Structure formats: C-alpha cells, structure tokens
C-alpha cells in the first residue's frame, strides 16, 4: 500500500488553517555539496512548508543565469542525482518530514532509468518531481513509473498556456499546479507586480488542487503579493 504523500498532508493542514505555502528553492551541491544538508535543515527549521531541491544539469531549460551558475558550481563539486537522493535520505534520517520536490531536467532521471529513479527517490524520502522540459504530450511516458510509487509529477502552467491545454494539464495532475508567474526563465525581475488574478481564477475554475506560484519572486513584498 502506498502511504499518503507528504505534499498532500501539508496542503490539507494549510487549508484547514487558511494559510498559503512557503516553498523555497535550493540547488543541491551549491555552493558546496556538504552545505546542502545543513541548508535543507535550516529551511525546514525556519518554516518552509515544502522544499524544491534542484538537481543540477549542464543544459537547464527553464533556469535563468543565477540558477545556471549555481548548477555549474554544483556539477563541478561532483553533484549527481544519486548524491542528491543520498542527501534527501539523510534529511529524513534526521527526523524531518518537510516534503521534498525534486526539480530538474529530464535527462538525469532518464539516465538513471525512470523505474529505478522512482524506486530510489521514494526510498530516499522524496515526494514529488517537477520536470520543466516534459510537455503534456510526453508526461504520459513519465507519470506511470512515478505514480505507482506514490510520487507526484507536478505540472507547470505558463502565462501563455491556452485554456483548453490548461484543462488537459490539470485533469492529469496530482499534488499541486505550478503556475509560472512571468514569461521566460527563472530569476529576479525589476517588476514588483504580477498579473495573477485572472490566470489563477481561470485555473481555480478547473481544479481543486493547490495552486503554487513561482519564477521571479525575489523579495518579501513580492511573496506577500
């Protein structure tokens, strides 16, 4: 029997308390591989509801210059997917229950083998996977291996995603929907306002799953908004 996913439990508790989720991102292996576990613990201790843990890759598709640079340093440190999973396992062994979402390009997961990755990720204590270079049409090849182990495959919805495609995306989603707040790649923006009201209302009409907003959020004020 597959146990309840930590992501679902967290959002259920947040909903009961009428709270939004704080989900920080951390590139595994940056600035040093030995720093990642202490940073994970610090984020959990300081109130992170869920943590996105980036799996570094040499050719990221959605990352801006900051995360690209972090990935380069992490790779130079010898950070691999297997080492990332070892860190997740050590995090769990320390008694931490904060959900972990592995964020990264498809290549490292595919290289390990989807079935083997799903098994290893669950054994380590990961809860979900977010793969920005897997479009809707390809997700059906990825999802079964993850879902049968209890891992959520988190879908992304962009500002340019048409309504019908949004409907197709959310119909197959688990965990939460990741809404990309701005066009382009990750990274801080000079703007202080995000156009979220209509896009999120449109998504809310299509699903009861939690909606998470990411990309470009660089200040406490933007997070509050």
């Amino acid at each position: 029997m597959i146990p309840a996913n930590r992501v679902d439990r967290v959002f259920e508790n947040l909903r009961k308390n009428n709270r939004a989720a704080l989900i920080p991102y951390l590139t595994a292996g940056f600035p040093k591989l030995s720093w990642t576990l202490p940073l994970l613990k610090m984020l959990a201790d300081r109130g992170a509801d869920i943590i996105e843990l980036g799996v570094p890759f040499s050719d990221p598709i959605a990352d801006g210059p900051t995360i690209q640079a972090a990935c380069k340093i992490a790779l130079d440190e010898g950070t691999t997917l297997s080492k990332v999973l070892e860190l997740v396992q050590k995090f769990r062994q320390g008694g931490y229950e904060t959900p972990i979402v592995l964020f990264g390009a498809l290549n490292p997961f595919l290289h390990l083998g989807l079935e083997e990755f799903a098994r290893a990720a669950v054994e380590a204590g990961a809860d979900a996977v977010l793969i920005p270079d897997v479009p809707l049409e390809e997700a059906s090849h990825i999802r079964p291996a993850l879902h049968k182990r209890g891992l959520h495959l988190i879908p992304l919805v962009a500002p340019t995603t048409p309504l019908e495609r949004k409907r197709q995306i959310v119909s197959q989603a688990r965990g939460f929907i990741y809404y990309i707040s701005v066009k382009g790649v990750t990274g801080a923006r000079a703007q202080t306002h995000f156009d979220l009201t209509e896009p999120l209302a449109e998504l809310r009409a299509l699903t009861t799953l939690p909606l998470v907003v990411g990309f470009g959020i660089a200040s406490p004020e933007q997070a509050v908004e």
Side-chain angles (χ1 to χ4, degrees):
M1 182 177 178
I2 297 174
N5 192 290
R6 294 181 190 87
V7 169
D8 299 333
R9 292 204 301 262
V10 162
F11 276 114
E12 183 179 346
N13 290 332
L14 289 169
R15 191 176 282 123
K16 288 177 181 176
N17 292 290
N18 194 32
R19 281 188 54 229
L22 175 64
I23 309 178
Y25 169 88
L26 178 68
T27 299
F30 174 82
K32 292 182 177 298
L33 190 59
S34 61
W35 286 33
T36 302
L37 183 58
L39 287 170
L40 284 172
K41 292 178 178 179
M42 183 196 71
L43 290 173
D45 290 338
R46 297 297 176 88
D49 296 298
I50 296 169
I51 300 171
E52 279 184 21
L53 185 59
V55 178
F57 182 58
S58 56
D59 298 288
I61 190 169
D63 295 329
T66 301
I67 296 180
Q68 284 186 34
C71 285
K72 172 66 166 59
I73 292 170
L75 291 170
D76 289 345
E77 273 281 300
T79 307
T80 63
L81 175 56
S82 295
K83 290 182 179 179
V84 173
L85 294 179
E86 288 175 13
L87 290 168
V88 174
Q89 186 173 45
K90 289 177 181 177
F91 181 69
R92 294 289 177 232
Q93 289 170 346
Y96 288 89
E97 286 297 309
T98 306
I100 297 287
V101 179
L102 298 173
F103 186 113
L106 177 61
N107 187 284
F109 307 125
L110 205 58
H111 182 73
L112 184 60
L114 291 175
E115 295 285 348
E116 172 60 19
F117 162 69
R119 181 200 63 76
V122 169
E123 288 184 1
D127 303 283
V129 188
L130 207 164
I131 312 175
D133 57 344
V134 173
L136 174 66
E137 291 77 10
E138 299 298 325
S140 60
H141 302 296
I142 313 297
R143 193 179 298 108
L146 304 183
H147 281 188
K148 76 178 183 181
R149 295 279 184 174
L151 286 169
H152 292 331
L153 179 61
I154 305 299
L156 294 106
V157 173
T160 53
T161 305
L163 177 60
E164 182 52 37
R165 189 170 180 83
K166 288 179 183 175
R167 184 176 286 111
Q168 294 171 8
I169 290 171
V170 303
S171 70
Q172 302 172 35
R174 292 187 188 181
F176 59 88
I177 309 296
Y178 190 122
Y179 181 74
I180 300 171
S181 60
V182 292
K183 297 176 184 177
V185 296
T186 63
R189 305 295 202 279
Q191 70 186 64
T192 57
H193 175 69
F194 298 102
D195 181 20
L196 299 175
T197 303
E198 288 187 19
L200 293 185
E202 192 172 72
L203 273 175
R204 177 51 66 224
L206 298 175
T207 181
T208 58
L209 284 175
L211 305 179
V212 168
V213 177
F215 282 40
I217 300 170
S219 69
E221 293 76 19
Q222 289 173 327
V224 167
E225 182 186 349

